[in-house]
Amino acid sequence: MTMEAPAVLWFRRDLRLADHAALLTAAGHSKHLLALYVLDERLLQPAGTPRTAFLLDSLRALDAALGGRLLVRRGDPVREVVAAAREIGASAVHVTADLGPYGRRRDEAVAKALAEHRIEWVATGSPYAVTPGRVTKPDGSPYRVFTPFRRAWDRHGWPRPADTSASTVDWVPPRKSGGIPESPALGGMRQPAAGEAAALEVWQEFLDDGIAHYAEERDRPDHEGTTRMSAYLRWGNIHPRTMLADLAGDSSEGAQALRGELCWREFHADVLWHRPETARENYDRRFDRMRHDTGAPAREAFELWCAGRTGFPIVDAGMRQLLAEGWMHNRVRMVVASFLVKDLHLPWWWGARHFMRHLVDGDLASNQLNWQWVAGSGTDAAPYFRIFNPTTQGQKFDPQGDYVRRYVPELRGVAGKAVHVLKERPEGYPVPMVEHAEERQVALQRYGSITGNSPQ
């Protein structure tokens, strides 16, 4: 490899130019880089409209930051990456490592194809502060429980942000680009601005106004107490290392809580790296014996849940927020997930698939393993007997009912906390589809049958 030969920087889940380790490595090997993104049908098909729109908007922002020099191709990455590299006589293709199940298989195939043309494959860093697989127990085995993982993760630490920008290298103008497709119509859905500049702006606003109250506000869906950074992290508009650097030295409860949330993201990525089958299968294989409801009634119940027509206000508000914004408050995600698997007795993967279809921030590791946490089948899972009561959850975390009224217009005439315990049903709003106390007992019995514990 010589500095005179150009190279390719293949963007994937790292759609930014600041704090980009692969860009820094590439700049040390070559003076001239071709910026490439490949629209991969294997990833686009299951993505859903909100996530696809955010991706395409992120690509437009990246292209603008590069002065219109982002080459966008569509098709099989093996074919398109090799072709782009050969067209400019590249000596290497640089990437941020993708450690998801599909990404690992795809990258092995691309690296093998490049090697046939004597083009080097160079992977640097990952979308995480600590690359999955790096934090292990003293005996080398992976952690199954979050708390000891968190302690080991803190001890391991992470590098300082990479000093990179658009001016780090000279960018090779693409000879011919397929262009960035128009974003799909969102039908009035509200969605945040995409791209690196937007991510940094939202992050700075949170540091200025939100972090002081984050620890106590993050569980309140009626307040703007979360970071709203999940979509930016999903697409790499910002690296978690940047956020952790900004939190360094801050020992406040808010900063500690946020570091913990970032670590949960890394823990789930680590679990998926060690156990890639858990994207589709139970981590705890005992749960393969779990009895779920089936047939037409089960599908009908699922459709009511998807539409936010369960008759439980906090559940319906969450499901409608998902449809309206492509996002849902984290506390409410747990409530609606518990309702699906423990009140309706439906498989967690039904809900996980629906979330991945609609979430702007849909991330395979976080989504699937959070669903398994709620279902009790995952690593470090919630105790099976922890079954959220949707009414008391609403009363506790949306005490005045503002969140429910925001997303369930049928209930806007019901004042205050009474919205969670409706003495009368406003016209058009359904009665509860199940009796929670009864379904809780059914869930306990079914869980008990596979765990050997008696219902509580």
Side-chain angles (χ1 to χ4, degrees):
M1 182 185 298
T2 68
M3 290 290 288
E4 298 304 319
V8 174
L9 180 59
W10 177 20
F11 288 89
R12 290 95 69 84
R13 291 185 55 179
D14 50 355
L15 304 181
R16 66 183 184 282
L17 295 169
D19 190 8
H20 200 298
L23 171 55
L24 187 63
T25 297
H29 293 167
S30 179
K31 296 179 181 179
H32 307 285
L33 286 186
L34 173 68
L36 171 68
Y37 188 88
V38 178
L39 294 165
D40 182 350
E41 296 297 337
R42 290 285 302 276
L43 297 176
L44 290 173
Q45 288 178 0
T49 300
R51 200 153 69 258
T52 298
F54 195 91
L55 162 64
L56 296 175
D57 288 348
S58 293
L59 291 177
R60 269 184 281 276
L62 179 61
D63 185 48
L66 290 168
R69 288 170 290 184
L70 176 65
L71 173 62
V72 177
R73 295 280 182 85
R74 188 167 195 145
D76 178 2
V78 175
R79 181 181 66 248
E80 298 300 337
V81 173
V82 171
R86 295 190 68 196
E87 285 168 10
I88 65 168
S91 60
V93 171
H94 291 264
V95 297
T96 300
D98 186 339
L99 301 171
Y102 169 69
R104 290 159 72 177
R105 295 193 303 271
R106 175 203 59 205
D107 286 358
E108 288 174 2
V110 174
K112 180 179 179 181
L114 289 169
E116 294 175 357
H117 298 279
R118 298 185 179 180
I119 301 171
E120 189 175 358
W121 171 265
V122 184
T124 306
S126 76
Y128 302 95
V130 180
T131 298
R134 297 278 177 84
V135 174
T136 61
K137 297 178 184 179
D139 64 2
S141 63
Y143 285 97
R144 293 171 53 92
V145 178
F146 172 73
T147 301
F149 176 89
R150 167 75 190 274
R151 290 194 291 264
W153 181 79
D154 281 330
R155 289 193 301 270
H156 183 282
W158 39 84
R160 292 191 301 271
D163 184 12
T164 58
S165 68
S167 61
T168 297
V169 296
D170 292 328
W171 298 94
V172 177
R175 298 175 184 175
K176 184 178 181 181
S177 176
I180 303 170
E182 289 296 318
S183 295
L186 294 175
M189 175 183 288
R190 299 183 295 276
Q191 197 171 88
E196 181 177 8
L200 294 172
E201 181 178 354
V202 172
W203 173 236
Q204 189 58 55
E205 288 177 358
F206 175 79
L207 290 176
D208 292 341
D209 303 322
I211 195 166
H213 306 288
Y214 177 72
E216 61 268 24
E217 289 289 293
R218 63 193 178 94
D219 274 331
R220 290 285 299 271
D222 55 333
H223 295 172
E224 295 297 329
T226 66
T227 67
R228 288 289 186 143
M229 294 299 296
S230 55
Y232 300 118
L233 285 165
R234 164 64 180 85
W235 289 111
N237 293 162
I238 191 171
H239 197 281
R241 184 175 49 222
T242 300
M243 299 169 67
L244 288 163
D246 288 339
L247 296 174
D250 187 343
S251 59
S252 68
E253 289 186 6
Q256 292 180 34
L258 181 51
R259 278 192 286 266
E261 292 303 303
L262 289 170
C263 187
W264 268 110
R265 178 176 180 267
E266 309 234 334
F267 177 56
H268 285 149
D270 188 77
V271 172
L272 189 63
W273 188 86
H274 287 287
R275 295 279 303 276
E277 77 279 4
T278 58
R280 302 287 181 265
E281 302 173 4
N282 292 314
Y283 184 93
D284 184 342
R285 300 314 296 264
R286 292 180 303 166
F287 283 76
D288 293 351
R289 304 194 306 271
M290 186 70 179
R291 185 162 63 88
H292 301 107
D293 286 2
T294 60
R299 298 304 309 185
E300 291 170 6
F302 179 67
E303 293 303 325
L304 289 172
W305 177 83
C306 290
R309 300 286 297 170
T310 69
F312 288 86
I314 192 72
V315 174
D316 293 341
M319 299 308 296
R320 296 190 197 188
Q321 182 182 25
L322 176 63
L323 297 178
E325 300 177 5
W327 187 84
M328 190 193 301
H329 188 278
N330 185 61
R331 165 60 58 170
V332 184
R333 293 188 199 201
M334 291 190 288
V335 174
V336 304
S338 179
F339 187 83
L340 183 80
V341 299
K342 295 177 179 177
D343 284 77
L344 301 184
H345 316 299
L346 300 178
W348 65 261
W349 51 91
W350 287 17
R353 188 181 304 120
H354 181 75
F355 269 30
M356 286 297 285
R357 191 72 185 167
H358 290 278
L359 284 171
V360 174
D361 62 10
D363 173 89
L364 188 67
S366 293
N367 186 68
Q368 309 302 90
L369 289 161
N370 270 316
W371 269 94
Q372 292 217 48
W373 184 87
V374 173
S377 62
T379 180
D380 200 26
Y384 76 92
F385 50 81
R386 184 185 185 188
I387 299 176
F388 285 132
N389 182 318
T391 301
T392 57
Q393 286 286 308
Q395 292 170 325
K396 181 177 181 179
F397 296 108
D398 182 29
Q400 296 305 313
D402 294 333
Y403 175 75
V404 165
R405 282 187 291 273
R406 189 183 309 154
Y407 295 103
V408 186
E410 305 98 301
L411 300 181
R412 287 176 184 164
V414 182
K417 60 184 180 182
V419 78
H420 296 296
V421 185
L422 299 167
K423 294 183 179 179
E424 296 181 2
R425 298 268 146 174
E427 183 178 356
Y429 189 67
V431 298
M433 61 187 297
V434 295
E435 170 55 54
H436 171 71
E438 293 178 4
E439 302 308 330
R440 179 178 183 276
Q441 291 304 312
V442 173
L444 289 173
Q445 290 170 357
R446 294 188 185 184
Y447 276 95
S449 69
I450 62 172
T451 62
N453 295 316
S454 301
Q456 299 182 15

